[in-house]
Amino acid sequence: MRHTLLYVISGCLCLLGCRQEDSFLSNAGRVKIDFGVDDEVAVVASRSTLSDEESNALRENCKIRIFNNGKLVNRYGRWSEVPEDGILMPVGDKYSTLVVAGDSVPASFEDKYYKGTESFSVVKGQTKEVNVNCNIVNTLVKIEYSQEWNNLLEEAKVTVSVEGGSLEYPMAEEAKTGYFIAPEKNPVIKCLFSGKTKTGTDFSYENIIESVKEATLYTVTYSPSEGEPVPGNYGGGFFELIVDETPLGDPISETVKVYQRPVVSATNGSEKIDLSADMFVATGATMSPVFTFSGSTPLKTVIVESELLTGLGLNSNSLDIISEQQQFKDKGLNVVITEDKKNVRLEFGDKLNSYFIKESSYSMKFTATDTYDEIQEGATAKTREIVWNIIVSDANITSINIPEDRRYEIWSDKAVFYGQNLEGKTPTETLYFRYREKDTETWSEYIPAVTDDNYYKTAQITGLKPGTTYQYQMVEGTKVSNVISEVTTDAVHILDNYSFEDVSYEGKILRISKDPSNYWWDSGNEGSATMSVNVTSVDTSIKHSGNQSLYLKSQFVGVLGIGKFAAGNLFVGEFLGTEETYYGILGWGRPFETRPYALKAWVKYTPGTVDYTETDKISKGDLDIGKIYIAVGDWVGDDPSYPQWPVVVRTLGPKLFDPNSSGTIGYGEIEFTETLQASDGGMVEVEIPINYENYGGFNRVPKSIIIVATASKYGDYYSGSTSSAMWLDDMELVYEESKLSK
C-alpha cells in the first residue's frame, strides 16, 4: 500500500496560457550541462587519472538538480536522462545546478563521492553550456606506522570510524587511503589503536580528531614515545600521534597534535580489571588492586570519591591523589607520580580485603583532569570519569540491567527483568525475581525465572507505570541476592502542539506553531498559500477543547480552470520544496523513541462527491474518503538531496510512503467513508491502534514518528472532492494497554 498527499504550488500558474510549445519558446532558452572530476583530486587520492570505465560509471551514477532562486525546479536521476539537445527552461538569471556523483557511503576504501555546483542564466532563444567541476566530498584518511613498532608489537591495527561506518588499517598491510563521510552535525573521526605487544599484553587506545573537513587528506602517524615504548601500567602514554591535515589540491599542510582524554586503568595482580562492568567478589576473597591514571598532558587532579576512604583512615571520602599523596601513603596506600605528572598510580595493597568479609556493595568514582587548557589557548581541560562498583556476595546468581541489545523489551507499562550466574557459580535451587517501585519499601511476590541464552529473565511484567524506575533482585530458593538492578519504563510522549492552539503566519503561509520558523507539524500550505489558498487552516466554531480546531479543506488551487486539486492535509515533518514547477517534496518523520499502543484524536469529517480525478482508484461521482494514519519506525533517509529526513515523499512519479517498507516497526490507520460527527454536529473521538506484530515492532525500538491526516485519501493522485473537509483536535498517544477502549 502506498500513501502520500498532493501539494500544489502556484508556480504551475505562472505559465497560464503558455502550454503550447511555440508560446513557451518565445520566453525560454536551452541549457546543456556537462561535468568533470578535478584532476588534482584524483592525484591526491593516489590515482593519476580516472579510466574511461570509471568516468562512465560516475556519469551513470550521478544526480543532477537544477534550482531557480533556491527552489528545486528540475532533477535527473542519471546522466542518460538529461536531454541531449539541452533542457528547455524559462528565461531567468538566478539558476544554479548541483551535480553529485559516486557513492556517499560513510566509509570505504573504494567508493568516492563528488559534488559540484555552478550558477547560470537562461537567455531567450539561446543555448547555454554549463560546465560543472566536481570535487571530492570525502574526508580521506591514511594511517602510517613507524618502523620501530616492528620490534615492539606482535600485531596492531587502527580502526578508523565515523558515525555509520568504519575501516580497519592493519599494521602488517600496505598503507592505503580510506574515504569517509562524517555527518555535518558530528564531524568527528575516531581512531582506535589496538593490538598485542611482543610480551603478550593487549592494548587499546582511542583518539578523536574533531571538526574534520571535506576534501581533506588526514595522514595519521603512530610512533613509539621515548622512554616508555611499551604499554603497561602507564595507560595511554606509550605512543605519539601526529596528524597531517592536507586540503586536496592545496600544497600547504598543517600539523595538528592530537591530545586524548586521560586514561584510567586497573589491575589485580597480573589480571586486568574491567572498570566498565561491576566487579563481583565472593565473601572472604582477597585482592590488591592497582589504579593507573595517565594523560597526554600533565595531570592537574585525580579525585577519588568513595565511602571506603574514611573507613581506611583518610580524613574525607573525596580526595585528590596528587595533592594528598602523603595522606594516602600515611595510611598504607602507595602513590607513585612521575616527574612530568603525566602518570599517577594508586596501590591499595591489602587494605580493601576487610570489606570482603560479608555481603555488601561498594562504589569508587575516579575523575582525572589534565592541563590541556594550559597549553592550548581557548581549550578546556580534558577529563575522564570512571565509576567502579564492587559487589561482595556468596550467592550463585545476580540480577543485571537489561542488556543494551534487548532494549526493545522495555515499554511504557511493561518490562522484562534480567539476571545471570556469578562467574564460576552454579545455582542449585529454584530461581525467582522480585521487584518494587524505586524509593518504596514493599517488594512484589516472587516471579519465576526462565533461561534465555546466557541469561535468566522473567516473563513480561505488565501493569507498570510509564516513566517510572523499578528495582529488582534475583532470589535462589529463599536466599535473596544483595545486588539490586534497575529499569526505567518509557515515558509518555505528548505530541507537540497536540490541540493545535498555537498557530502563526509566515507571510501567507499558516504555520502550526507560535514560532513560524520552528514547527513540528506542516501541511501543503506553502504551495497553495501563494494563491491565497490555505488548504489547512483553523476553525473556532468547531472544537473539542480550547479555542479552535485544525480545519483541512480539499480545494482546487488555480485560476481560469488551470491548476490542480489539492487535498486538505496535515503531517509530521516539513514541506521542503517543489520540482518540475508544482510537484511537492516533503520530509516526513520527527525523532521519536517510544512505542505507544494507539493514537486518539477528536475528528469531524464531511465527505463530498468526487469532482476531480486523475486515477482509476476513485471515480467522479463517488463519495470521497478521509484518512488518518500513524507509523513509527527506524527508517534511514535514502534521498540524496535530503538525507537527514527519515522519509522523503515526492509527488512527482510519485514516490510515496510505503508502510510495508523495512523501516516500519508499527503502523495504524483509519478511513472515513461517510460523514462522522456527533449528534450536535460536533467532534467524535476516534482511536487508531498501532499494529506492531506484523511489522517487527516487538523486537525493535523506533527512531522516528509519522502522522498524516487528509480530507481526500487519493489527493496524492490529484483526485477527490472540493467539498470534503476534516476537523482535528486534541491528538493523544496511548501508552497503557489498560487505557485502550478496545
Side-chain angles (χ1 to χ4, degrees):
M1 183 186 298
R2 304 186 305 173
H3 303 275
T4 188
L5 305 173
L6 166 67
Y7 302 92
V8 181
I9 72 161
S10 63
C12 64
L13 306 174
C14 296
L15 305 180
L16 291 178
C18 301
R19 294 212 167 198
Q20 292 78 19
E21 179 74 4
D22 291 343
S23 58
F24 182 75
L25 286 172
S26 66
N27 193 35
R30 292 186 183 275
V31 178
K32 285 189 174 182
I33 297 176
D34 199 358
F35 82 94
V37 174
D38 193 318
D39 288 337
E40 285 191 87
V41 171
V43 171
V44 175
S46 303
R47 302 291 296 270
S48 58
T49 59
L50 292 175
S51 67
D52 290 341
E53 182 180 354
E54 288 174 313
S55 296
N56 292 334
L58 279 177
R59 284 181 173 270
E60 273 310 295
N61 196 24
C62 76
K63 294 177 176 59
I64 302 99
R65 304 286 184 268
I66 300 175
F67 302 86
N68 185 4
N69 201 22
K71 291 284 187 179
L72 182 66
V73 295
N74 217 333
R75 63 193 285 266
Y76 299 95
R78 55 178 58 88
W79 194 256
S80 58
E81 295 178 1
V82 181
E84 292 185 5
D85 58 348
I87 306 165
L88 196 62
M89 305 192 69
V91 168
D93 60 0
K94 294 185 178 180
Y95 284 99
S96 63
T97 184
L98 166 69
V99 178
V100 296
D103 293 319
S104 58
V105 296
S108 174
F109 283 121
E110 301 293 336
D111 298 325
K112 298 177 280 292
Y113 194 50
Y114 301 90
K115 179 170 65 176
T117 61
E118 190 69 37
S119 300
F120 64 94
S121 58
V122 177
V123 180
K124 177 181 176 180
Q126 296 184 16
T127 298
K128 176 73 173 180
E129 293 189 356
V130 180
N131 294 308
V132 183
N133 184 39
C134 291
N135 292 298
I136 198 164
V137 176
N138 305 83
T139 299
L140 283 64
V141 178
K142 187 176 182 180
I143 301 296
E144 295 186 347
Y145 300 90
S146 168
Q147 291 187 350
E148 298 170 78
W149 288 124
N150 295 331
N151 299 322
L152 301 171
L153 303 181
E154 184 68 29
E155 59 184 47
K157 67 179 179 180
V158 174
T159 303
V160 180
S161 61
V162 295
E163 186 177 315
S166 63
L167 299 174
E168 290 187 353
Y169 297 74
M171 186 177 70
E173 296 182 5
E174 182 180 353
K176 51 187 175 180
T177 302
Y179 302 90
F180 297 84
I181 294 181
E184 182 179 350
K185 293 184 178 180
N186 188 28
V188 167
I189 283 179
K190 297 180 180 180
C191 299
L192 180 65
F193 184 32
S194 61
K196 181 180 292 186
T197 68
K198 291 286 188 180
T199 60
T201 302
D202 293 328
F203 65 90
S204 178
Y205 303 103
E206 184 177 75
N207 298 276
I208 297 176
I209 306 174
E210 299 179 342
S211 303
V212 296
K213 304 168 187 174
E214 294 182 350
T216 302
L217 171 66
Y218 291 83
T219 303
V220 184
T221 303
Y222 287 81
S223 302
S225 295
E226 295 183 4
E228 183 58 37
V230 179
N233 288 338
Y234 291 103
F238 82 103
F239 69 89
E240 291 182 353
L241 179 66
I242 297 295
V243 178
D244 184 69
E245 179 183 300
T246 307
L248 301 188
D250 188 339
I252 300 174
S253 65
E254 175 185 1
T255 299
V256 181
K257 180 76 174 181
V258 177
Y259 295 92
Q260 68 185 90
R261 289 193 298 152
V263 174
V264 181
S265 60
T267 58
N268 179 38
S270 61
E271 296 183 1
K272 182 179 179 180
I273 297 175
D274 182 3
L275 296 176
S276 65
D278 294 345
M279 183 172 188
F280 294 91
V281 297
T283 52
T286 60
M287 63 184 304
S288 302
V290 176
F291 290 85
T292 303
F293 313 88
S294 61
S296 298
T297 62
L299 295 172
K300 185 183 302 182
T301 58
V302 178
I303 306 295
V304 182
E305 299 175 63
S306 176
E307 70 273 21
L308 299 180
L309 296 186
T310 52
L312 294 173
L314 297 160
N315 64 16
S316 174
N317 282 332
S318 178
L319 292 170
D320 173 22
I321 299 175
I322 295 177
S323 63
E324 298 289 342
Q325 61 173 308
Q326 190 58 51
Q327 184 182 168
F328 279 89
K329 289 182 176 181
D330 290 344
K331 300 304 177 182
L333 285 75
N334 192 35
V335 174
V336 179
I337 302 176
T338 59
E339 186 175 351
D340 60 6
K341 291 190 176 180
K342 289 186 178 181
N343 296 281
V344 175
R345 190 165 69 248
L346 173 63
E347 302 173 356
F348 277 91
D350 61 359
K351 297 300 182 182
L352 294 180
N353 293 338
S354 60
Y355 291 97
F356 302 156
I357 296 174
K358 61 180 181 179
E359 290 192 320
S360 189
S361 60
Y362 308 100
S363 179
M364 287 188 181
K365 180 180 177 181
F366 303 95
T367 306
T369 304
D370 68 10
T371 52
Y372 182 57
D373 56 330
E374 298 176 10
I375 66 169
Q376 186 74 26
E377 185 177 353
T380 56
K382 295 179 180 290
T383 298
R384 175 82 67 176
E385 182 178 287
I386 294 290
V387 176
W388 183 49
N389 295 314
I390 316 162
I391 293 94
V392 184
S393 175
D394 60 4
N396 295 313
I397 41 82
T398 179
S399 61
I400 60 172
N401 292 332
I402 293 180
E404 187 58 34
D405 62 351
R406 301 194 180 196
R407 166 69 180 77
Y408 57 81
E409 293 195 294
I410 304 173
W411 293 64
S412 291
D413 64 344
K414 57 190 177 185
V416 173
F417 305 146
Y418 273 84
Q420 65 183 17
N421 289 342
L422 288 173
E423 186 175 355
K425 299 291 188 71
T426 301
T428 58
E429 299 186 54
T430 305
L431 301 181
Y432 304 93
F433 286 85
R434 68 176 186 175
Y435 73 96
R436 66 184 178 189
E437 189 175 331
K438 189 174 182 179
D439 297 326
T440 62
E441 297 296 328
T442 304
W443 291 94
S444 70
E445 295 181 353
Y446 287 179
I447 302 165
V450 297
T451 302
D452 183 5
D453 294 332
N454 296 319
Y455 301 111
Y456 300 116
K457 59 185 286 190
T458 64
Q460 205 163 57
I461 308 298
T462 60
L464 305 180
K465 300 177 184 177
T468 302
T469 299
Y470 290 87
Q471 298 178 321
Y472 58 94
Q473 294 173 298
M474 281 205 77
V475 182
E476 181 182 3
T478 59
K479 180 175 177 53
V480 180
S481 166
N482 66 317
V483 179
I484 298 177
S485 299
E486 294 185 350
V487 60
T488 300
T489 53
D490 287 342
V492 170
H493 185 110
I494 299 175
L495 296 174
D496 185 82
N497 198 14
Y498 65 93
S499 64
F500 312 115
E501 293 295 299
D502 297 329
V503 295
S504 55
Y505 281 88
E506 185 177 357
K508 298 179 181 179
I509 303 168
L510 176 76
R511 295 298 188 199
I512 308 163
S513 169
K514 280 185 178 179
D515 181 358
S517 65
N518 183 20
Y519 46 90
W520 200 76
W521 302 93
D522 205 357
S523 72
N525 282 331
E526 188 161 337
S528 64
T530 56
M531 290 299 296
S532 299
V533 175
N534 274 313
V535 294
T536 302
S537 59
V538 295
D539 187 345
T540 58
S541 65
I542 296 177
K543 60 200 174 188
H544 171 250
S545 68
N547 298 314
Q548 62 195 25
S549 66
L550 210 60
Y551 180 48
L552 318 183
K553 179 68 170 68
S554 297
Q555 302 175 60
F556 178 83
V557 181
V559 295
L560 301 178
I562 299 177
K564 287 288 184 181
F565 173 83
N569 62 85
L570 172 74
F571 60 89
V572 172
E574 182 179 341
F575 186 97
L576 301 175
T578 58
E579 54 190 332
E580 289 194 7
T581 308
Y582 57 83
Y583 291 96
I585 308 172
L586 298 84
W588 280 4
R590 299 289 189 182
F592 191 83
E593 296 183 349
T594 59
R595 285 168 293 177
Y597 292 109
L599 170 68
K600 286 186 177 182
W602 286 84
V603 182
K604 176 179 177 179
Y605 181 66
T606 58
T609 301
V610 173
D611 47 5
Y612 286 91
T613 183
E614 296 185 20
T615 179
D616 58 3
K617 297 178 181 296
I618 197 167
S619 303
K620 282 189 177 182
D622 290 350
L623 197 62
D624 206 357
I625 302 171
K627 186 168 187 173
I628 302 173
Y629 60 93
I630 178 173
V632 293
D634 52 11
W635 308 281
V636 177
D638 60 358
D639 191 295
S641 298
Y642 305 98
Q644 71 274 28
W645 286 96
V647 174
V648 173
V649 166
R650 293 178 178 269
T651 58
L652 176 63
K655 178 192 174 186
L656 310 176
F657 171 63
D658 180 5
N660 294 312
S661 69
S662 60
T664 304
I665 72 169
Y667 178 80
E669 65 175 43
I670 187 171
E671 293 187 354
F672 307 103
T673 57
E674 57 187 18
T675 297
L676 176 70
Q677 62 182 26
S679 57
D680 61 357
M683 309 183 79
V684 176
E685 187 178 41
V686 300
E687 182 178 277
I688 307 172
I690 301 173
N691 180 343
Y692 292 100
E693 184 175 2
N694 295 341
Y695 297 92
F698 290 140
N699 57 8
R700 287 156 64 193
V701 177
K703 296 179 180 179
S704 306
I705 185 172
I706 291 172
I707 300 175
V708 176
T710 175
S712 298
K713 173 183 176 180
Y714 295 109
D716 47 4
Y717 298 98
Y718 313 107
S719 303
S721 171
T722 53
S723 298
S724 295
M726 180 184 292
W727 291 259
L728 292 172
D729 202 0
D730 293 336
M731 282 193 168
E732 176 191 5
L733 296 173
V734 181
Y735 279 92
E736 297 174 75
E737 286 185 296
S738 62
K739 293 186 177 181
L740 293 173
S741 61
K742 48 187 173 182

